[in-house]
Amino acid sequence: VIAAFSTVGNVLVCIAVGKNRRLRTVTNYFLVSLAFADICVGALAIPCAIMTDVGIPRHNLYLCLLMLSVLIMLTQSSIFSLLAVAIERYIAIFLPFQYHSIMTSRNAILIIIITWILAFLIGLVPLMGWYKTPPESGYCFFVFVVDMTYMVYFNFFGCVLTPLVIMFLIYAQIFTTVKRQIRRMAADRVTGGGSQDKRAASIRKEMKTATSLFLVLFLFTVCWIPLHIINCFILLCPHCSIPVPLLLAAIILSHANSAVNPILYAYKMKAFRRTFKAIFLC
């Protein structure tokens, strides 16, 4: 069910940006990259996860590693897309006059290509030798094949937690600075007339966009952090008993993140909502 919703919903996001000129912004290019990663999660990663959940393929280590690496690669691409969005919002608010020269469509596409190459390389690290030798039964189970030192120290601490902390710091600075500017403009308007109205409206619009995009980041964090915390327990406390239902719930929650973004766009962003409605009504 999650795979179907993720694939259909994110294909709808890509179609919406393609059909509506107003949605063809640099911010939305990064959101399309995120949507493409979520389409791949629905169409490729979740089917691979279902297969490895029953131990398929057996006695083929490299195919097993490739299937398990797909989800890591797509998750990393999502994180890099969210980081690109956060940096783009930072430039839009703190460097408004240089924004159009820095954040051109060409530069956005170049950044997207670089993020996918980096995500691809990070996801393929287990295939390069950082894996565990599976048991003689040959079953392709995640914890039997993927080395938890890679998942915790390299993937979580280095490639997931560090970008997330940077993004939360960026949004914290955006929100505190913009609120301070709006408060100052409100005071200026009271004392010196309404000459600041246009600038204040522009800042409020940027603030609203940043808030919606922060919610995307927040939901990503809520959906993925529980699984990474469980991985930390598996590595650092090998004798601790982790209930199987809890582990499965964390895995399902991480996959569910790929299906929620289109719902969030429709709920929080008016241009997306109108375009989705137009597509459904042909």
Side-chain angles (χ1 to χ4, degrees):
V1 171
I2 290 169
F5 273 104
S6 175
T7 305
V8 173
N10 286 288
V11 165
L12 200 62
V13 171
C14 297
I15 292 172
V17 174
K19 288 181 79 70
N20 189 343
R21 281 184 185 275
R22 291 181 61 194
L23 288 175
R24 292 177 204 166
T25 63
V26 171
T27 305
N28 289 343
Y29 290 158
F30 295 128
L31 294 184
V32 166
S33 176
L34 177 61
F36 181 74
D38 289 337
I39 290 168
C40 293
V41 169
L44 296 174
I46 293 178
C48 287
I50 292 169
M51 290 175 66
T52 56
D53 195 47
V54 294
I56 300 171
R58 289 184 66 184
H59 305 297
N60 191 331
L61 176 61
Y62 291 103
L63 180 59
C64 172
L65 282 170
L66 180 63
M67 290 172 63
L68 294 172
S69 297
V70 166
L71 186 57
I72 298 169
M73 184 200 325
L74 296 173
T75 305
Q76 200 59 50
S77 174
S78 299
I79 291 169
F80 286 150
S81 296
L82 291 170
L83 181 59
V85 168
I87 293 170
E88 185 268 341
R89 285 294 88 201
Y90 183 91
I91 294 170
I93 289 170
F94 289 97
L95 300 170
F97 299 112
Q98 294 97 326
Y99 175 82
H100 291 292
S101 60
I102 297 172
M103 280 297 169
T104 61
S105 298
R106 183 181 176 183
N107 287 344
I109 292 167
L110 183 63
I111 290 168
I112 289 168
I113 291 170
I114 291 170
T115 58
W116 275 92
I117 291 171
L118 288 174
F120 182 77
L121 293 175
I122 290 168
L124 288 184
V125 166
L127 271 170
M128 298 174 188
W130 199 346
Y131 61 85
K132 291 193 294 188
T133 304
E136 291 181 3
S137 63
Y139 282 110
C140 180
F141 291 125
F142 192 93
V143 293
F144 288 173
V145 178
V146 177
D147 195 325
M148 278 299 152
T149 57
Y150 160 76
M151 283 303 298
V152 173
Y153 296 129
F154 181 80
N155 184 264
F156 179 46
F157 290 159
C159 302
V160 175
L161 196 59
T162 302
L164 285 178
V165 170
I166 292 170
M167 284 184 272
F168 275 100
L169 290 174
I170 287 173
Y171 281 110
Q173 188 170 0
I174 287 173
F175 292 145
T176 53
T177 303
V178 169
K179 282 185 177 179
R180 199 181 304 126
Q181 286 181 343
I182 291 173
R183 204 176 296 122
R184 187 171 64 246
M185 286 179 176
D188 291 344
R189 191 165 61 248
V190 170
T191 56
S195 59
Q196 299 279 358
D197 283 355
K198 190 174 180 182
R199 175 65 178 152
S202 174
I203 289 177
R204 285 194 185 94
K205 185 180 177 183
E206 295 288 357
M207 180 74 160
K208 189 176 179 181
T209 303
T211 304
S212 301
L213 296 171
F214 175 76
L215 281 175
V216 176
L217 170 63
F218 180 76
L219 284 174
F220 181 91
T221 306
V222 168
C223 290
W224 276 99
I225 287 297
L227 184 59
H228 283 291
I229 290 173
I230 289 173
N231 287 340
C232 291
F233 271 100
I234 292 172
L235 176 67
L236 303 175
C237 185
H239 302 296
C240 296
S241 177
I242 298 169
V244 173
L246 178 65
L247 176 60
L248 294 178
I251 292 169
I252 291 171
L253 183 65
S254 68
H255 292 325
N257 178 250
S258 299
V260 299
N261 286 342
I263 300 169
L264 185 62
Y265 302 155
Y267 180 69
K268 294 293 292 182
M269 299 180 183
K270 191 180 292 184
F272 269 107
R273 184 164 62 249
R274 287 176 175 170
T275 309
F276 289 162
K277 188 177 179 181
I279 291 168
F280 282 122
L281 297 176
C282 300

